[in-house]
Amino acid sequence: MSSRPNVGEAVVMGQSDSLPVKINEDGTDQLEVKGYQVHRGRCALACLAVLLTFGLLLILLVWRKDIKMWMFYKECPLQHASKILVKDSFGVFFEEDAQEERCGPILQPKTRFFVNKRVKYVWDIETLEFTRLQCYDANIECLSFHENPDGLNMQDVNERQQKYGANFIRITMRPVYHLILKEISNPFYLFQFYTIVVWMAQAYYDYSCLVLATTMIAVGSSVYERRKHMVALKKKVHVAGSAIVIRDGTEKRILTQQLVPGDILCINPLDDQVPFHCDAVLVEGTCSVDESMLTGESYPITKMPVPQDHETFEYEVHKRHILFNGTQLLQGRPEGNNVFLKAVVIRTGFMTSKGELIRAILFPKPIHFRFYADLIQVAILFLVFGLGGMIYSAYTWIRNGGNTKEIILHSLDIVTFVVPPMLPAALTATTAFAQRRLRDKKIFCLSAKHISLSGGVDVACFDKTGTLTETDIDLAGAIPIQEGEFRKPVPQLSTLPETHPLLQAAATCHTLIKVNDQMNGYSIDRKMFDATNWNFVNGPPGVNSAYGVETPFLVSSPLWNEKRESSFSPTVEYGLLKRFPFESAVKRMTVIAQRKGNKHYNVFIKGAPEIIAELCDPVTVPSNYYAVLKHYTIQGYRVIALAVKTLNPHFTWSHIQQMTRDEVEANPELIGLLVMRNQLKKETIPAIRILHEAHIRTVMVTGDNLQTAVTVAKDCDMIDRVQRVIQVEATIVPASIHGAQHLQVLYNDPLATPEFIAGTMKKMQDVHNGNYCFAMDGQSFELLRIHDAALLDKCIHRGKVFARMAPEHKQHLIEALQKIGRQVAMVGDGCNDCSALRTADAGISLSMADASVAAPFTSQETNISCVAPLICEGRTTLDAAFGTFQFAIGICFIFFVGVLMLYSISTTPSDFQYFIWDFGIAIVPFFTIGYATPPKYLHPRRPLRHLWAFLPLFSFFTFLAWQTIVLLIGWFYCHAQPWFEPYVFEPGKHPPNPSYEETTLFNLMSIGSIVAAFVFAPSPPYSRSSFSNKIFMIWAFGATILLLCVMFITNDGFVYWMNFKTPPHPEYTVVILVLGLAGGLFSFCWEKYLIRGWIYQWVWPRLNRLRPARHTYQKIEKELKSKPDWPKLGGKDISKDLEQEALQVEPPSPNEKGASDSVSGEDQIPSSSPGRNSLRDLVGRGKTTFRTFQGSRRGGYTINGPKLEQDYPHESIPLKVPVTNVEVSPSVSRSPLPKTTDEEYEYEFHPRPPSIPDEFLSAQSSPVQVLAIRPFEDEEHEVAPPPFEIDVEQRSPLSRRGQGVFQLVDEKNAEQPDSDVQLLAYRASRRPSDLSPSQQRRHLNGHGPHPAE
């Protein structure tokens, strides 16, 4: 029963009149709420204020819900509130109604609730606060889904229908008038309304009607686009249908809208493409579903029934058991002889996964674009000038004896000059032009405001798999393991005997299905199975007599024997009886299978190598297992481990079905490794280089292994060849007798072997000289985000690779980059990128799935070549918006000054003069300036993004100053003429008497308007020249001809119509024309060459270096430059003591360091291309015996402590890496290795002149200390010679006109160069002072005596 709390309780709960109550503090949708009740006195005063302001106060109340609540309502405790003021995490206010409902028996009290953003919040009588309505599956055991086979009764159905609502994602279509009223509440539209009223009162109907028409078109198009998107979304979301459920023990067919949580859903697998209308947990049968609507991936996902145990069900953990709303059934297999699959409904409506996606679309993150905020501020500033002009206008008309109407109308009219009424329509047209150009480039924009935001992007984040690399993965080879030793690698799985356990594991351990005679499944599974050449078929319905149990799938060897002789039946056949799908938490999958004819059952396991090694019998794991694994992962290969286990022959199938997954997978035998590769897309490297040339940082954000991600980043030139990569590893050190619990951060080389770091690097000081970048995994990122935000800011500022990032980590990374002042673009192709795509300033989805609608941009080209054109288009749009605004304000202020000068003698331009100026000169540039096209390249500097800044205001006010000077010169020159006649003012006369001043100033103002269009038109480097804008040039030519005709036609009728007073001498008109052109030429040169040229390109960057850093990332960069010795490789930072509490983030296990992880899923496929600038790059080559994969840069040795031991006992796999369509850096040489036989091949490389590594050459100068070794000369050496120190001889000086040539010299024989030494590490004391960066780059690119390797 609810009870009314006392005042003390209300204050404790934060329900006082001053403090709001916070909701969802631990969740994503954090809210602050306040309660209000209607107050009659405040309502009366508010209504009176609305009447006194002629309704203008309503506009403020539409903008600010908090002010509206304060004016009409009184604060009160939440439990008594009738209105709830909600403030979300973005600072947006919502006004919600507090309601009551009864969800249980009649005697039970009603429950108070409110709904915000389609989420229901209910009143908790125990905590006395609103809490989010819990889902049906919260805090229940898995066993509970099986406890009610008869379904719900009608009372339960009615109560849950009332509690959770209808199973319907309702898209509310707002009335058109509501959308129109919201659109015209924009301040600029309100000012347009004011302008139209004033001009109508002055009988200036022509331009008033034009402004009204353009306003109606702009408002109508905006409302039409918004409503069209809502209608399209509603059609996509609204999927009506029927479903079979079990209620009161009987099967019933009901509408899907009537489904409630707890219903038992009966699914017929024979129905074609059965869609799911809710989130349900599978309890009987198995099936494969298509989740491309949510994930963007087209492969099927296998769903298993939820186990009957006491484990707590978790929505995010048990996804393998959930049938999600919006997905489709591809294939199903009921349990036993049942007809239906059975599932229990757990979530409906907006509580489903699809509902959350639609909520994100309906309530996106507000766009805080500084340009539009500055637009309002600058408009307010100009309105202040307008108020000054209004006062001066009233003074002059009163002084000269004007009547009341003239005083009022002309005083109100002068304000209309300071803010151009056509500006909103012009900015809308500019964005529309950009949208059309993007559409031509196959880039679709769902939010036009993001186009301008993309113009300020300075950091581009990329997903890896499917974005930088191809989605498909290729099998490079396999390495069998027998008796705890690596055997000879095989390039083709099909060459193994049919009885080989590795081949059988590859043929059985997968989640493939066959639909319409086509294989469907993960690309890894497809490639692996295709390499076996085995056959796959769906099993017969019911019990298979050959096995005695149900066999959902059958795999069999090819219809030929090992001698390639045809056979009528396969030699080996397996029935796949039960699958445990891949789970990211355990990083493995398992299949229980039985070979035809055998009585025992086999278990095949596939997964991350370090995880599988932990499961297996230690006797079966080779001693050099992790060394071999590291050897391949640092080259970018994907490694998957396989294991097998034979179950006890006495175990029956019913007994096996009762076994847990842990029991099934316990203590298997490790049988081999599969080595796979993933190629870069051919568009990746050129796109990355373009962004780097434009000084746009590129960052990789992936769910893949760290070493693989670093290697791919090097291969695609995301990480520079001369840049040191430092891995940041954060761990929680638990409390002990030595100290309290604390955060420890280590800095290591992610590509160096642990033995090298522990042994050699301790003897040598690592030198990076500030040219370094960070790489970290998601676990370390989360620890730093929670416990050390300052260090996290440094890491993300210099971060290049973020691996093992969960979807929420990606979003937090984007937010962290934005927090330090960056504008971020995010490119991804899957549903796990959706949150990051929505958060980024420019989110680009490479998937056309339904989940992509959450991103502002969607590219039809599934590669990153769309990033540079989008940023270029954004810069052009931003530059055009600046130009449009400056032109609009410029011409208005020219007339503002000119009209004020005419008001001083109480005259004004005639209506036809306004008509010629408005329709013939001013209106066309409003729309043609935004028609500028983007250039063919990205400039290294971003365009100006703030109107409220020095350069834009300086540009505008200096232009206005020069034009004012021109008008003053013309004014006084006119007065100085001997034939000049003063103007005679007649009150009330319209139009006024003609005057020389009016004629002169109108000509100069018209010239100034044409000049303003050329001065502020977009130009290089962010747009093409205005001369390439054909529509603009046609207007310029026509406007010039029109102006010359107006100035020089002396026909009496035309002069009378224009209300001109023609000068007696034509030479005067020529002088005025020359004066206007001279002023225009000066203004053009001032803007283009002085402001945009010298000041913007040269002076402004140098001033920025002198003034204090404004953005956080600039302060961080300054701090890092002041600490050249931080961080030290192998060093560590220890934070302050942490509270000893249970952390959600567990420290990584030691076995996770340096191994390839998960098997399947998005972001789990590494690249195959070998990396650069790692330990293997520091090693020269002589005549050496190679036993490694193609692309490995190490010779026949490894580093193991202080000694050199022979490499791993396995031969090479002949890999053919197709690089025909991939642009590879010229500095990378990839020579294919010959086919491997049982004997070793001696491979001879032509040795190049020995030299110091390229990274040393670009950053160091002698003296240096170098640690080097000699490779094995032959196979007879049991122990390699120890490393020795050598010196560096500089054979030619480093100068601006020459290039340095370095040579390694043996310390024992200084006269002869040692061509056989292998460089391990180096130490230098200073940087070169006379080698320019361009010469360093030239040398690194091979333009010198020593071509870069």
Side-chain angles (χ1 to χ4, degrees), residues 547-565:
Y547 293 85
V549 295
E550 293 186 23
T551 54
F553 309 102
L554 298 173
V555 295
S556 58
S557 59
L559 296 178
W560 58 71
N561 55 26
E562 297 180 9
K563 297 181 181 180
R564 297 289 170 174
E565 298 175 350

Side-chain angles (χ1 to χ4, degrees), residues 11-57:
V11 173
V12 169
M13 294 308 299
Q15 296 177 18
S16 64
D17 290 349
S18 58
L19 296 178
V21 178
K22 293 185 178 180
I23 301 178
N24 298 335
E25 291 189 75
D26 299 331
T28 55
D29 294 333
Q30 297 184 14
L31 304 177
E32 294 182 1
V33 296
K34 276 187 177 183
Y36 288 87
Q37 285 182 337
V38 177
H39 191 276
R40 295 181 180 179
R42 292 190 177 186
C43 287
L45 293 176
C47 293
L48 180 61
V50 170
L51 294 176
L52 294 177
T53 58
F54 300 99
L56 295 178
L57 183 61

Side-chain angles (χ1 to χ4, degrees), residues 1065-1110:
H1065 303 290
E1067 294 81 2
Y1068 174 81
T1069 306
V1070 174
V1071 172
I1072 295 300
L1073 177 62
V1074 172
L1075 174 62
L1077 293 178
L1081 181 61
F1082 179 82
S1083 299
F1084 183 86
C1085 296
W1086 176 273
E1087 174 70 21
K1088 298 296 184 182
Y1089 298 105
L1090 182 69
I1091 296 180
R1092 295 198 180 189
W1094 184 65
I1095 295 179
Y1096 179 68
Q1097 300 291 344
W1098 194 87
V1099 176
W1100 199 247
R1102 285 158 178 78
L1103 291 177
N1104 283 334
R1105 296 172 193 160
L1106 298 177
R1107 66 178 183 177
R1110 294 180 300 166

Side-chain angles (χ1 to χ4, degrees), residues 34-217:
K34 276 187 177 183
Y36 288 87
Q37 285 182 337
V38 177
H39 191 276
R40 295 181 180 179
R42 292 190 177 186
C43 287
L45 293 176
C47 293
L48 180 61
V50 170
L51 294 176
L52 294 177
T53 58
F54 300 99
L56 295 178
L57 183 61
L58 291 176
I59 305 300
L60 178 63
L61 300 183
V62 170
W63 298 337
R64 296 292 301 270
K65 297 290 185 181
D66 54 336
I67 297 178
K68 174 186 176 182
M69 299 296 290
W70 177 81
M71 292 186 64
F72 287 87
Y73 302 91
K74 181 182 179 180
E75 291 186 34
C76 68
L78 287 172
Q79 62 266 38
H80 305 304
S82 60
K83 287 284 186 179
I84 305 294
L85 179 65
V86 182
K87 180 182 178 182
D88 64 7
S89 57
F90 305 117
V92 180
F93 289 96
F94 297 86
E95 176 190 351
E96 308 294 355
D97 294 323
Q99 306 175 50
E100 292 185 351
E101 65 180 2
R102 180 178 283 109
C103 299
I106 298 178
L107 297 179
Q108 185 175 343
K110 293 184 178 180
T111 303
R112 294 178 56 80
F113 72 95
F114 72 90
V115 179
N116 178 254
K117 296 183 180 180
R118 306 296 192 273
V119 176
K120 189 175 183 179
Y121 296 88
V122 297
W123 179 255
D124 191 334
I125 60 175
E126 295 181 359
T127 61
L128 296 180
E129 63 181 5
F130 283 103
T131 58
R132 185 167 181 168
L133 178 63
Q134 285 193 343
C135 300
Y136 172 76
D137 56 283
N139 302 323
I140 63 174
E141 296 180 350
C142 295
L143 182 61
S144 62
F145 293 110
H146 301 268
E147 292 178 345
N148 188 17
D150 293 334
L152 303 175
N153 55 44
M154 292 309 300
Q155 181 179 351
D156 293 335
V157 171
N158 294 332
E159 291 179 0
R160 297 184 185 185
Q161 184 82 27
Q162 185 70 23
K163 181 178 181 179
Y164 295 102
N167 179 33
F168 181 58
I169 300 178
R170 187 181 302 278
I171 306 296
T172 304
M173 300 296 298
R174 294 184 178 181
V176 175
Y177 77 89
H178 189 279
L179 296 176
I180 293 176
L181 291 177
K182 184 177 181 180
E183 189 72 21
I184 63 176
S185 64
N186 185 288
F188 281 99
Y189 288 127
L190 294 176
F191 186 79
Q192 282 184 334
F193 177 73
Y194 166 82
T195 302
I196 293 171
V197 171
V198 173
W199 288 349
M200 287 287 188
Q202 292 180 305
Y204 185 43
Y205 302 113
D206 299 329
Y207 196 65
S208 300
C209 293
L210 176 63
V211 173
L212 180 61
T214 55
T215 302
M216 293 175 62
I217 292 174

Side-chain angles (χ1 to χ4, degrees), residues 822-863:
R822 296 290 192 178
Q823 281 192 228
V824 189
M826 175 67 195
V827 187
D829 68 331
C831 180
N832 57 359
D833 301 318
C834 283
S835 57
L837 294 175
R838 290 196 306 266
T839 306
D841 299 293
I844 309 172
S845 173
L846 303 184
S847 171
M848 300 301 291
D850 290 351
S852 66
V853 298
F857 301 98
T858 302
S859 174
Q860 229 173 4
E861 299 290 342
T862 57
N863 56 70

Side-chain angles (χ1 to χ4, degrees), residues 388-421:
M390 179 188 295
I391 297 173
Y392 175 77
S393 173
Y395 166 75
T396 56
W397 284 93
I398 294 174
R399 183 194 61 186
N400 295 329
N403 56 38
T404 304
K405 180 181 178 181
E406 290 176 331
I407 295 173
I408 294 176
L409 289 181
H410 290 302
S411 299
L412 295 176
D413 181 51
I414 198 64
V415 182
T416 63
F417 287 95
V418 296
V419 178

